[in-house]
Amino acid sequence: MAEAHQAVAFQFTVTPEGIDLRLSHQALSEIYLSGVRSWKKRIIRIKNSVITGVYPASPSSWLFVVIAILATMYTRSDPSMGIIAKIQEHLPVSQSMSSQCQAVVSAVLFSTMLWLLLIFTMRLCLKQLLSYHRWMFEQHGKMSTTTKIWVALVRIFSGRKPLLYSYQGSLPNLPVPAIKDTVKRYLESVRPLMNDGEYERMTKLATEFESSLGNRLQWYLKLKALWASNYVSDWWEEYVYLRGRSPIMVNSNYYGMDFLYVTPTPIQAARAGNSIHAFFLYRRKLNKEEIKPVSTVIPLCAAQCERIFNTTRIPGEETDQVLPVTLLMFCVSYMLKDTVQHWKDSDYVAVYHKGRYFRLKVYQAGRLLSPREIEFQIQRILDDPAPPSKGEAKLGALTAADRVSWAEARVKYFSSGINKRSLDVIERAAFFVTLDDEEQGTMRDDQPASLDNYAKSLLHGKCYDRWFDKSFSVIYYKNGKSGINGEHSWADAPVVAHVWEYVLATDSFQLGYNEEGHCKGEVDASLPQPQKLNWEISPEEQISRSLAVAQALADDVDFHVLSFRDFGKGQIKKCKVSPDAFIQMTLQLAYYRERGTFCLTYEASMTRLFREGRTETVRSCTNESSAFVRALENGEPADVCRRLFRGASEKHQQLYRMAMTGAGIDRHLFCLYVVSKYLGLESPFLKEVLAEPWRLSTSQTSIQQVELFDLANHPEYISCGGGFGPVADDGYGVSYNFIGENVINFHISCKHSCPSTDAHKFGDQIRKAVNDLLQLLSPNQKESNKTEESQPKVKKEQ
């Protein structure tokens, strides 16, 4: 095979005349250029480490301090108050150095110490400033004098042009809430879900926990908070994600969609060429830390960005036996532990097409291939007639089923030889690419059904044509549509969404296509063929069993994508209501109308205002929201309903702000539970709390880089957002996002096997509830939906 010969750097044979040595100059050149590229990245990392290490000062500020101190010395003043003289007395120098030179060296040493002290002071001040969160609780549009001063100080101490990780050392640690506060807020959150008898029993359990075991567990948690940078995140990743034994497909992984009404090119290879190139442009900016830190008013933690590329979730071996027996008992159903493996670099992507796996290098002679060259290589894969190896076609099903089966198969069949080498190629790839042989997207003949099918395809595909363990997989369909599937353990959806937004914008507005729909640029015809991976698959029965498990799970998923275009957040804001609170009240109303009751509701909120923060739960079903829903459904006067709605939305906003600022409920209770298991102690209260099902799990996917998409001039370039599978067997998963001022997208999931759930019916209830709430809040604006007339018309795809 040609690629096998190209992989050999030199060959030699023994002849009667001696050794005949033949070198492959191309291979040696590749080795040299690869080394140069690696050293360049090391130098960049070192430089960035220095810049980040001295932030919010700059390395050049050291020279300024040294010059300032030396200048004051020449004016015969001593800014060090005798410290420079003391340094000079104890300076270990040779006798040949003049006293003047010794004084200069001492001044430089003093200047350096002063500079480091100033950096430490500035960083400490910045950390204290970033710990101020009162601004979040102030009324919208009204900023107090204290907050104005705080904003000015943050700008002063933040320095200029921060790198991606510049703020990491200055972010505050996540605080541990008081036990009594968490218990009080928990009891308040479950009151609308319990009758008097159930609530009285739960109150008794909570009181006993607070006065006895809770204080002991809290002590250990505070000790961890002093030692660790975040007292939640490592345990959250460990026990919620990596110790889970159920399939990560549907249950954990999530997806993101392409543009709703635009497909930049109908050529599959061209779409892949542009966007793969854009992914590597993003990675280059990430490695150089040139990506602007994401911020609200203050910067957010960027720690999750470190593992975007070259990362894989690996099914693990049996839990380390040095763990306490009590913890092993706690993990009876979690006998295996996955790990997240991250590599420093990778110059290729792993590609799947019609049952075959390929290694596609995107660097040649030390340079990133152009979009046109990547398109050329992708087309080679599409045109490759080679059939799959025995058992190769559905190999990916191992990553879609339960983790125990995959871990056992990996150890037994992929620990050595050709299978291990091929598996290493997939796991070490920058990311995974699927060239799907189906067409997806918004179809003209049946738009609702086509969006539902598109969502299900991105969520699970055929159950064997994705590699669900990769940090993210990109899917390119036959008609040029694309999408992304993300693994959840290493990071949360906003991190992947940030990359996806950049790629979509770069693909369409910067790289573009020629008139025929191909990528722009020229092709180097000497590019080596993409390398087809070889396998010797023997566990075909295990693959078939895994596929059966995954297929049953995928078939059970009921999905509906609702693109609501009657109005959007612009109209909602005119009612002086938070758009997020409006949607949460909508979901409460829709659920009550469908089920006749309320349920424990999960809304994801981020805690990235703190170092290594991830998420917290906002319990959106409150006393206030249930009172509003009952009043509306019982036909109470509109004024009463409006007053109750305002109170419910304000309560929701208060809970959201508290969750963001470290005063949430669920992560604290989760960590207390983990500590109790480490200590071998049982808590009826914690056991019952963590067993409660989230029958309504919700999340908002917000656009983070509004500067990338000019929706005013290009209204057709709107994304449909993304979604996830249902959390509870008898509940709903709802993801929603606001696009511009006039579009709201909902992604609704549930299970066919539950007779009381139906994604389409729930979508109808949401549509009705959204319109009813707007009508309630703006009764004199029945014609307000005429905003559609002022919206630019969007030409839908054919």
Side-chain angles (χ1 to χ4, degrees):
M1 295 175 65
E3 62 268 19
H5 291 291
Q6 291 168 351
V8 179
F10 64 91
Q11 301 175 356
F12 71 91
T13 57
V14 179
T15 67
E17 290 76 22
I19 296 177
D20 179 19
L21 181 65
R22 288 175 293 171
L23 297 175
S24 170
H25 294 287
Q26 180 183 357
L28 291 177
S29 176
E30 283 292 328
I31 292 171
Y32 167 76
L33 292 171
S34 178
V36 169
R37 178 168 164 265
S38 176
W39 275 103
K40 283 182 178 179
K41 292 187 70 173
R42 290 185 186 182
I43 293 170
I44 289 171
R45 288 194 187 106
I46 293 171
K47 182 192 74 171
N48 289 341
S49 296
V50 172
I51 294 173
T52 301
V54 302
Y55 192 83
S58 62
S60 60
S61 63
W62 172 81
L63 186 61
F64 175 81
V65 174
V66 169
I67 293 173
I69 295 297
L70 291 175
T72 56
M73 289 180 62
Y74 280 104
T75 60
R76 298 185 180 277
S77 60
D78 185 9
S80 70
M81 295 180 290
I83 297 177
I84 293 178
K86 288 288 185 182
I87 295 174
Q88 188 172 350
E89 289 177 11
H90 298 85
L91 196 65
V93 294
S94 62
Q95 298 296 324
S96 60
M97 184 180 292
S98 65
S99 58
Q100 185 177 8
C101 187
Q102 292 179 20
V104 170
V105 171
S106 301
V108 170
L109 289 174
F110 170 77
S111 301
T112 302
M113 290 188 292
L114 178 61
W115 180 64
L116 293 174
L117 180 62
L118 289 172
I119 291 173
F120 176 78
T121 304
M122 290 178 68
R123 183 169 289 185
L124 188 64
C125 290
L126 183 58
K127 189 169 187 175
Q128 292 299 315
L129 288 169
L130 296 180
S131 300
Y132 174 84
H133 298 131
R134 207 172 300 170
W135 58 274
M136 292 188 65
F137 297 89
E138 294 180 354
Q139 188 175 350
H140 183 69
K142 294 183 179 180
M143 187 181 294
S144 66
T145 304
T146 302
T147 300
K148 289 178 181 178
I149 296 172
W150 169 78
V151 170
L153 289 173
V154 168
R155 289 175 179 172
I156 292 172
F157 282 93
S158 290
R160 297 176 63 234
K161 295 183 178 179
L163 298 176
L164 177 61
Y165 302 118
S166 291
Y167 290 103
Q168 292 300 105
S170 301
L171 290 172
N173 291 359
L174 183 69
V176 181
I179 283 280
K180 63 177 183 179
D181 293 339
T182 297
V183 169
K184 179 183 177 182
R185 288 195 286 267
Y186 168 77
L187 291 174
E188 183 182 353
S189 72
V190 297
R191 186 64 187 96
L193 309 176
M194 297 179 176
N195 59 37
D196 293 343
E198 292 171 334
Y199 184 72
E200 185 178 350
R201 185 182 64 84
M202 183 56 74
T203 301
K204 184 179 179 181
L205 287 176
T207 303
E208 290 175 357
F209 171 76
E210 180 184 343
S211 60
S212 55
L213 180 59
N215 290 323
R216 182 181 176 186
L217 302 180
Q218 180 80 344
W219 185 87
Y220 283 96
L221 217 52
K222 287 184 176 180
L223 185 63
K224 184 188 178 185
L226 289 173
W227 177 256
S229 52
N230 191 295
Y231 80 93
V232 175
S233 294
D234 59 337
W235 284 350
W236 187 253
E237 180 177 307
E238 172 96 4
Y239 294 109
V240 171
Y241 293 115
L242 298 181
R243 285 190 181 269
R245 297 296 88 199
S246 60
I248 60 175
M249 183 195 77
V250 174
N251 294 323
S252 179
N253 285 31
Y254 52 90
Y255 68 86
M257 282 186 169
D258 197 358
F259 296 121
L260 183 57
Y261 295 119
V262 171
T263 303
T265 177
I267 302 174
Q268 184 178 21
R271 190 75 196 280
N274 257 8
S275 61
I276 290 174
H277 183 84
F279 273 114
F280 279 90
L281 291 180
Y282 186 95
R283 193 181 72 164
R284 179 186 293 170
K285 291 166 69 71
L286 183 68
N287 291 337
K288 293 181 178 181
E289 299 183 30
E290 294 175 350
I291 296 171
K292 184 180 178 181
V294 178
S295 63
T296 51
V297 176
I298 56 179
L300 305 182
C301 177
Q304 296 178 55
C305 297
E306 296 173 358
R307 298 188 288 182
I308 294 176
F309 296 94
N310 330 317
T311 299
T312 298
R313 175 172 174 158
I314 297 176
E317 301 296 330
E318 194 164 332
T319 304
D320 195 343
Q321 294 298 314
V322 300
L323 289 173
V325 175
T326 52
L327 184 58
L328 290 176
M329 292 175 63
F330 166 54
C331 297
V332 168
S333 61
Y334 302 88
M335 296 186 68
L336 300 174
K337 172 192 169 185
D338 290 5
T339 55
V340 176
Q341 182 69 49
H342 173 71
W343 288 270
K344 287 292 184 183
D345 194 18
S346 179
D347 64 354
Y348 66 91
V349 294
V351 181
Y352 174 91
H353 176 245
K354 288 189 175 180
R356 295 92 45 81
Y357 291 87
F358 294 84
R359 180 178 185 262
L360 173 59
K361 291 194 65 175
V362 293
Y363 280 88
Q364 175 73 5
R367 66 174 181 85
L368 176 63
L369 297 184
S370 70
R372 185 70 183 88
E373 289 172 325
I374 297 176
E375 177 191 350
F376 177 72
Q377 295 291 73
I378 291 290
Q379 192 61 51
R380 280 178 159 181
I381 293 175
L382 293 172
D383 296 338
D384 192 320
S389 304
K390 182 182 178 182
E392 178 185 13
K394 298 180 180 180
L395 177 64
L398 291 172
T399 69
D402 64 280
R403 306 303 292 173
V404 175
S405 297
W406 175 209
E408 291 173 349
R410 191 176 191 277
V411 172
K412 189 174 182 180
Y413 302 106
F414 299 89
S415 295
S416 61
I418 192 171
N419 288 345
K420 183 181 187 302
R421 291 194 294 273
S422 294
L423 181 62
D424 283 345
V425 169
I426 294 175
E427 293 182 338
R428 293 171 180 264
F431 52 92
F432 191 79
V433 171
T434 294
L435 301 176
D436 204 303
D437 54 1
E438 294 181 346
E439 294 187 358
Q440 294 291 348
T442 308
M443 306 301 178
R444 182 180 180 183
D445 53 347
D446 192 350
Q447 178 180 332
S450 64
L451 280 177
D452 298 347
N453 293 332
Y454 182 23
K456 278 180 65 67
S457 176
L458 290 174
L459 185 64
H460 53 70
K462 297 184 183 73
C463 301
Y464 57 80
D465 55 350
R466 316 278 189 261
W467 200 266
F468 294 100
D469 286 355
K470 287 299 292 182
S471 56
F472 66 91
S473 301
V474 191
I475 300 94
Y476 300 100
Y477 294 100
K478 191 175 181 179
N479 59 342
K481 228 31 177 183
S482 67
I484 192 167
N485 182 289
E487 199 278 313
H488 213 325
S489 64
W490 63 276
D492 300 308
V495 177
V496 174
H498 194 274
V499 188
W500 189 232
E501 288 174 10
Y502 175 89
V503 169
L504 289 178
T506 304
D507 172 18
S508 297
F509 298 112
Q510 294 185 28
L511 300 176
Y513 301 88
N514 61 26
E515 293 180 356
E516 290 78 25
H518 293 284
C519 298
K520 298 176 181 177
E522 301 297 328
V523 176
D524 180 359
S526 66
L527 289 174
Q529 284 272 358
Q531 177 189 356
K532 183 183 180 300
L533 303 186
N534 295 314
W535 308 86
E536 293 177 357
I537 306 294
S538 55
E540 288 192 77
E541 291 184 6
Q542 191 154 0
I543 292 174
S544 297
R545 288 196 298 269
S546 294
L547 180 58
V549 170
Q551 194 65 59
L553 178 60
D555 291 343
D556 196 23
V557 175
D558 182 17
F559 226 104
H560 179 46
V561 179
L562 169 62
S563 185
F564 185 85
R565 300 186 59 84
D566 294 350
F567 60 86
K569 68 178 180 181
Q571 194 67 27
I572 296 172
K573 288 188 291 187
K574 290 179 180 179
C575 300
K576 298 182 179 179
V577 177
S578 159
D580 183 66
F582 181 93
I583 296 300
Q584 286 296 322
M585 295 306 109
T586 295
L587 296 176
Q588 291 299 314
L589 177 59
Y591 189 89
Y592 186 81
R593 283 174 170 175
E594 183 184 68
R595 305 288 283 271
T597 184
F598 298 103
C599 70
L600 193 62
T601 304
Y602 182 112
E603 181 187 5
S605 165
M606 62 91 175
T607 55
R608 291 171 65 193
L609 296 175
F610 302 95
R611 191 172 183 178
E612 296 181 17
R614 289 198 60 165
T615 60
E616 179 56 275
T617 304
V618 180
R619 294 180 168 230
S620 300
C621 182
T622 61
N623 291 318
E624 290 80 1
S625 67
S626 58
F628 158 69
V629 170
R630 284 196 180 99
L632 187 65
E633 291 303 280
N634 291 336
E636 296 289 338
D639 290 343
V640 174
C641 292
R642 276 193 288 272
R643 175 174 54 80
L644 291 173
F645 177 88
R646 301 284 180 189
S649 62
E650 288 171 7
K651 177 66 175 182
H652 175 267
Q653 286 300 96
Q654 178 77 1
L655 291 176
Y656 200 97
R657 291 164 182 148
M658 291 174 68
M660 286 183 64
T661 53
I665 301 170
D666 290 277
R667 300 301 179 268
H668 186 205
L669 293 175
F670 161 77
C671 288
L672 291 171
Y673 184 66
V674 173
V675 173
S676 74
K677 290 303 174 182
Y678 269 106
L679 298 177
L681 301 172
E682 287 294 330
S683 168
F685 171 70
L686 290 177
K687 185 177 181 181
E688 194 157 330
V689 168
L690 270 72
E692 295 170 342
W694 301 98
R695 291 191 173 90
L696 189 54
S697 181
T698 72
S699 178
Q700 180 188 170
T701 308
S702 58
I703 294 179
Q704 304 169 72
Q705 304 169 87
V706 292
E707 70 278 2
L708 295 178
F709 292 90
D710 185 1
L711 291 177
N713 294 325
H714 303 281
E716 68 277 15
Y717 284 89
I718 61 174
S719 172
C720 203
F724 51 87
V727 174
D729 290 339
D730 58 347
Y732 291 103
V734 182
S735 174
Y736 56 95
N737 67 335
F738 299 94
I739 303 296
E741 298 294 302
N742 303 301
V743 180
I744 311 173
N745 293 318
F746 296 90
H747 298 248
I748 307 160
S749 64
C750 63
K751 293 191 175 182
H752 289 297
S753 56
C754 177
S756 58
T757 58
D758 186 301
H760 291 77
K761 289 182 179 178
F762 193 56
D764 292 339
Q765 291 287 6
I766 289 174
R767 181 184 291 277
K768 184 176 185 303
V770 169
N771 283 300
D772 288 350
L773 288 189
L774 185 68
Q775 181 59 35
L776 174 70
L777 297 177
S778 53
N780 298 323
Q781 300 180 35
K782 293 183 180 181
E783 303 300 321
S784 61
N785 291 348
K786 288 182 178 179
T787 52
E788 291 186 357
E789 298 177 3
S790 61
Q791 296 176 27
K793 297 299 180 181
V794 174
K795 183 179 180 181
K796 299 183 180 181
E797 291 182 320
Q798 302 300 310

